[in-house]
Amino acid sequence: MTTASAHCSLGVSAHFHESSRKLPSKLESSCVIFRPIWESLGISLNSSSGPSICSKGCVGQLRAIPDIGDIFPEKPQTPILDTIETPMHLKNLSHKELKQLADDIRSELSFIRNETQKSVNGSMSVVELTIAIHRVFSAPMDKILWDAGEQTYAHKILTGRRSVMSTLRQKNGVSGYTSRSESEFDPFGAGHGCNSISAGLGMAIARDIKGKRERVVAVISNESIMSGQLYEAMSNAGYLDSDMIVILNDNRQSLHAKLVDAPKTPINTLSSAFSKLQSSKLFRKLREAAKGLTKKIGKGMYEWAAKVDEYARGMIGPPGATLYEELGLYYIGPVDGHNIEDLCCVLNQVASLDSTGPVLVHVVTTEDKEIREEKQIGISKLFNHDPYESDPQPSNRCKTFSDWFGEALTMEAQLDKDIMVVLAGSGMGMEPALKLFNDKFPDRLFDVGMAEQHAVTFSAGLSCGGLKPFCIIPSTFLQRAYDQVVHDVDRQKIPVRFVIPGAGLVGSDGPTNAGSFDVTFMSCLPNMIVMAPSDEVELVNMVATASCIDDRPVCFRYPRGAIVKSNASVGHGVPIEIGKGRVLVEGKDIALLGYGSMVQNCLRAQSLLSELGIQVTVADARFCKPLDIKLVRQLCENHSFLITVEEGSIGGFGSHVAQFMTLDGKLDGSIKWRPIVLPDNYVEQASPMEQLALAGLTGHHIAATALNLLGRTREALLLMC
């Protein structure tokens, strides 16, 4: 059934059930026009008088309007979840009802996934854990912090946002991450991971200083534990010894095959009983008493007893448990993350303890759980796809800039055995486009996960060893490694090739993952070459260019999204002359100087302006640093108006152009210059086109700016209507 038919049937059926049996005159008179739609709905028409309505709402003499449930999938029944308005309502439920609630939430998450086409697997794996946390603790008074946004959807459902979850990651909708501005149940924003312990520790210390009693819970994941900040935070938490609870959600997901294939943490009756014993008040009191006794005997005895305690529990616990003890956190676990009774028991006992210092509860979950259940109830796995994929059906997916980059880099690596890839970023796994490289050269790709600082300095070391590292870090995550970029690479003039995907606005991922600042913070470095391709062919050429540079660092960025020329094929790149831009279209009235992907929008603006009789020059800068000063001079000398356009923050490409024009005296003459950049605020989640419109970066916005500059204000207003 077509969308138009579906919408028509909804409106008609509602009207039929709520109005009289006689057709409205307007509807009756339009029967002939809408005959194809009526008939597609199974409604037979009487040519003389139109459709007639029987007492049961049937139209015509033979057929009835199909039920709405036949048009749209029916929402699953969630009887227990329907009774939950706030987390406090969980405290009145029995364990049997809590288990039913878990099933209800999974059904709700599956429905949300099918409605929004967003992955919810991370939240599926923590449903029971989320329920147990809200059952035991009293948010928002107690502070519950999360590291990973995708694991928070069950939390959002239980904290009053269920009715708007269909707007997840859409314009003016529910954020894909925790957000302080969205709900009082989100005490801190989750985005790049690994921040929950640091923020939670700060809240715990503030609580202690102010004499309050709220509890602080930080939920971390496997991906987070690859980050250095997390260990810094745990070490400081152990030193400060303030009460807080860290929950490690161990879902057995890892970027490294060796870790995935390692023996799984056992969950059995013995481990369950041991976890309950570790968290029990009696055990903790006996342990504290033993500590006090050994302290009185002497420092040597105390340290010896502490080691015995630590390693005895480490022998019974899973591998790695003693690491957390060394950092100063009392380890409890492993606990079955899908057993609500065990979770509630352990968390209740941990929550009831006073002056215990930081505690880490190791919870083992599995993301396979909901997949097995979906197979049983027949839910489509359409959206269980890689987070980097824009379309879950690769056969129908347009090629992206990432695809072209992956193929181009693989071609270069076939010619140059020194090319290496160092991949760091979100911990979401390897980008599909790089799997081709990994398949061909598995020993030349190093995926370090959420360890951007290490990735940069590691790449510098590879370069010092005579290799050619391509350090691939998404723009938003490169921010975490800026100190290493400055001191370990640029200051020493080490030729590391930085590849910056996710440049500019990123749609439904909003400001959390937007690549707004890389042009600004990379182009201010004295030795860095900074470039950006305007299309996929230029991207391939820049891969070849970066491979040839061996005397200084270089970076280039590219956006998410489909390529410009969908029918083109990837070939070997041709190195570009450093600092050399190009003119794409020549005109005489006004010049548009674009940087990166915004060159395409400059061309769209040129097309719009040409219809108004305005002759526009469009130039592709290619380089922000070194800037093509010859090109800028040429544009200034041949035009009275110049507009620079970039998908980056203030202080980037446009600022470099302005700096040169000022020092060169061009702004002292007749040239009028206007920059178009991202606004000085965070552009919230929306579709890519909506975000560009909000930022004023569409072809229409560029054309309107040109018209205003030319004094044709009325035409500019008409263009934007």
Side-chain angles (χ1 to χ4, degrees):
M1 183 176 292
T2 64
T3 303
S5 302
H7 283 291
C8 182
S9 68
L10 283 172
V12 171
S13 64
H15 181 84
F16 285 167
H17 285 88
E18 295 173 12
S19 66
S20 64
R21 294 186 186 182
K22 189 176 186 310
L23 274 172
S25 57
K26 288 184 180 178
L27 185 58
E28 188 173 336
S29 64
S30 63
C31 284
V32 175
I33 297 174
F34 294 105
R35 179 182 293 272
I37 296 177
W38 290 104
E39 291 180 348
S40 73
L41 292 171
I43 302 171
S44 83
L45 297 176
N46 183 312
S47 59
S48 61
S49 60
S52 59
I53 309 173
C54 71
S55 61
K56 296 182 179 179
C58 299
V59 181
Q61 299 176 351
L62 299 176
R63 301 179 190 176
I65 294 177
D67 186 78
I68 291 177
D70 297 332
I71 300 170
F72 295 112
E74 191 173 330
K75 190 169 184 179
Q77 297 295 314
T78 53
I80 303 296
L81 181 58
D82 293 343
T83 67
I84 305 299
E85 295 181 5
T86 71
M88 292 300 293
H89 293 157
L90 271 65
K91 299 184 184 298
N92 299 322
L93 300 181
S94 66
H95 285 298
K96 182 179 179 181
E97 289 172 323
L98 290 175
K99 291 177 182 178
Q100 178 60 49
L101 176 62
D103 294 337
D104 287 0
I105 292 176
R106 280 202 171 83
S107 297
E108 185 79 5
L109 287 170
S110 295
F111 182 78
I112 291 168
R113 178 182 56 195
N114 294 336
E115 271 202 327
T116 65
Q117 300 187 17
K118 305 297 182 185
S119 173
V120 298
N121 288 356
S123 290
M124 286 280 200
S125 70
V126 294
V127 169
E128 288 86 359
L129 176 58
T130 305
I131 291 172
I133 289 172
H134 281 294
R135 163 76 172 223
V136 173
F137 300 98
S138 299
M141 184 182 71
D142 291 336
K143 310 304 180 187
I144 301 170
L145 297 83
W146 301 78
D147 256 355
E150 199 191 85
Q151 293 182 5
T152 63
Y153 302 160
H155 162 78
K156 288 175 181 275
I157 289 172
L158 292 173
T159 53
R161 286 165 276 185
R162 181 189 179 191
S163 62
V164 290
M165 287 299 288
S166 59
T167 67
L168 181 67
R169 302 168 81 95
Q170 298 173 17
K171 184 180 179 182
N172 299 323
V174 176
S175 172
Y177 310 90
T178 54
S179 170
R180 283 164 51 86
S181 61
E182 184 178 282
S183 172
E184 62 178 343
F185 290 93
D186 296 350
F188 203 80
H192 292 178
C194 76
N195 64 3
S196 64
I197 299 180
S198 297
L201 179 60
M203 293 178 187
I205 295 298
R207 171 204 62 203
D208 297 343
I209 291 173
K210 289 183 173 290
K212 297 182 179 179
R213 296 183 59 82
E214 71 262 26
R215 290 161 295 192
V216 178
V217 181
V219 184
I220 63 175
S221 63
N222 289 69
E223 292 82 6
S224 299
I225 62 174
M226 304 186 74
S227 168
Q229 181 183 348
L230 184 138
Y231 292 99
E232 293 170 8
M234 285 195 290
S235 177
N236 193 221
Y239 172 75
L240 295 175
D241 204 34
S242 184
D243 290 352
M244 71 175 295
I245 300 164
V246 178
I247 299 175
L248 168 60
N249 170 35
D250 180 2
N251 57 19
R252 296 297 304 169
Q253 300 297 309
S254 175
L255 299 177
H256 301 293
K258 290 181 180 179
L259 295 181
V260 173
D261 295 337
K264 294 188 176 182
T265 303
I267 297 292
N268 49 43
T269 305
L270 180 60
S271 64
S272 176
F274 185 65
S275 297
K276 292 176 183 177
L277 174 64
Q278 286 176 301
S279 60
S280 69
K281 186 176 292 188
L282 178 60
F283 181 83
R284 294 300 302 273
K285 283 184 176 180
L286 289 173
R287 185 170 177 265
E288 292 301 317
K291 278 186 179 180
L293 180 62
T294 53
K295 276 184 179 179
K296 290 180 180 179
I297 295 174
K299 184 179 179 181
M301 176 60 73
Y302 171 74
E303 291 178 351
W304 179 82
K307 290 293 182 184
V308 170
D309 169 67
E310 176 186 323
Y311 288 111
R313 291 190 300 111
M315 289 174 65
I316 302 174
T322 56
L323 170 62
Y324 303 110
E325 295 282 346
E326 291 282 358
L327 290 170
L329 280 74
Y330 180 74
Y331 175 89
I332 298 172
V335 183
D336 185 350
H338 300 294
N339 187 320
I340 292 181
E341 290 187 38
D342 282 0
L343 286 168
C344 289
C345 176
V346 170
L347 293 180
N348 259 317
Q349 293 186 37
V350 171
S352 66
L353 298 172
D354 294 322
S355 302
T356 59
V359 175
L360 185 136
V361 181
H362 182 185
V363 174
V364 178
T365 61
T366 172
E367 288 193 349
D368 294 329
K369 182 176 176 65
E370 90 284 355
I371 297 175
R372 292 195 303 269
E373 292 175 353
E374 285 175 4
K375 287 180 178 178
Q376 294 171 5
I377 61 178
I379 296 175
S380 170
K381 296 194 293 179
L382 177 63
F383 306 112
N384 290 336
H385 62 282
D386 192 289
Y388 281 101
E389 292 282 359
S390 60
D391 189 325
Q393 300 176 18
S395 60
N396 299 328
R397 186 173 66 87
C398 295
K399 271 200 166 185
T400 65
F401 277 91
S402 289
D403 294 327
W404 272 64
F405 168 72
E407 292 184 40
L409 186 60
T410 303
M411 287 184 177
E412 286 293 326
Q414 288 173 334
L415 301 175
D416 190 340
K417 61 181 176 54
D418 288 336
I419 288 178
M420 302 285 155
V421 169
V422 179
L423 178 63
S426 67
M428 294 167 64
M430 188 181 300
E431 192 170 352
L434 288 173
K435 289 178 180 175
L436 173 64
F437 186 99
N438 191 52
D439 290 343
K440 287 184 176 293
F441 312 109
D443 296 329
R444 293 162 65 180
L445 186 146
F446 305 91
D447 191 342
V448 302
M450 293 177 67
E452 296 85 0
Q453 294 171 309
H454 163 66
V456 171
T457 308
F458 175 59
S459 298
L462 290 174
S463 182
C464 290
L467 298 174
K468 294 184 177 181
F470 279 74
C471 183
I472 306 172
I473 307 178
S475 175
T476 188
F477 299 108
L478 185 59
Q479 296 163 183
R480 288 203 288 228
Y482 192 57
D483 180 70
Q484 284 68 30
V485 172
V486 174
H487 292 285
D488 295 345
V489 176
D490 191 76
R491 191 175 63 82
Q492 302 184 68
K493 216 173 180 180
I494 296 174
V496 172
R497 299 144 191 87
F498 291 100
V499 182
I500 310 175
L505 302 173
V506 291
S508 62
D509 278 341
T512 303
N513 283 354
S516 306
F517 310 112
D518 58 273
V519 178
T520 299
F521 67 67
M522 295 298 275
S523 63
C524 68
L525 300 177
N527 296 316
M528 186 72 66
I529 295 173
V530 183
M531 52 187 180
S534 58
D535 58 32
E536 61 277 9
V537 176
E538 285 288 285
L539 174 60
V540 173
N541 291 338
M542 287 184 182
V543 171
T545 305
S547 180
C548 294
I549 296 172
D550 59 4
D551 62 342
R552 70 189 73 180
V554 60
C555 70
F556 59 92
R557 68 184 333 230
Y558 61 82
R560 290 186 184 180
I563 57 176
V564 178
K565 304 167 185 175
S566 57
N567 296 324
S569 58
V570 181
H572 285 287
V574 178
I576 302 169
E577 181 183 343
I578 302 300
K580 183 69 174 177
R582 57 177 182 159
V583 174
L584 301 179
V585 180
E586 290 199 36
K588 63 178 183 179
D589 296 324
I590 192 167
L592 303 178
L593 178 57
Y595 182 67
S597 61
M598 285 298 101
V599 172
Q600 301 303 320
N601 284 2
C602 289
L603 290 170
R604 295 183 181 98
Q606 182 268 335
S607 178
L608 291 169
L609 292 169
S610 66
E611 295 176 4
L612 299 175
I614 300 171
Q615 297 182 34
V616 182
T617 294
V618 178
D620 176 6
R622 282 177 168 166
F623 293 86
C624 176
K625 190 172 186 178
L627 185 67
D628 188 344
I629 59 176
K630 183 178 179 182
L631 174 62
V632 176
R633 281 195 182 116
Q634 175 188 330
L635 295 175
C636 291
E637 290 167 1
N638 297 337
H639 304 81
S640 298
F641 307 97
L642 172 65
I643 298 174
T644 56
V645 188
E646 62 184 303
E647 194 176 356
S649 67
I650 297 169
F653 170 70
S655 296
H656 283 265
V657 173
Q659 174 81 357
F660 166 72
M661 290 173 65
T662 302
L663 295 177
D664 203 47
K666 298 303 179 188
L667 292 179
D668 299 338
S670 60
I671 186 75
K672 291 183 179 179
W673 166 72
R674 295 291 184 273
I676 299 180
V677 300
L678 288 177
D680 194 21
N681 59 264
Y682 294 100
V683 180
E684 296 298 329
Q685 64 187 30
S687 71
M689 285 308 299
E690 287 172 331
Q691 283 192 322
L692 286 174
L694 287 170
L697 286 171
T698 66
H700 280 73
H701 284 88
I702 297 169
T705 301
L707 288 169
N708 274 323
L709 199 55
L710 291 167
R712 299 167 66 165
T713 308
R714 185 173 181 275
E715 289 170 292
L717 291 171
L718 290 173
L719 188 64
M720 296 308 299
C721 290

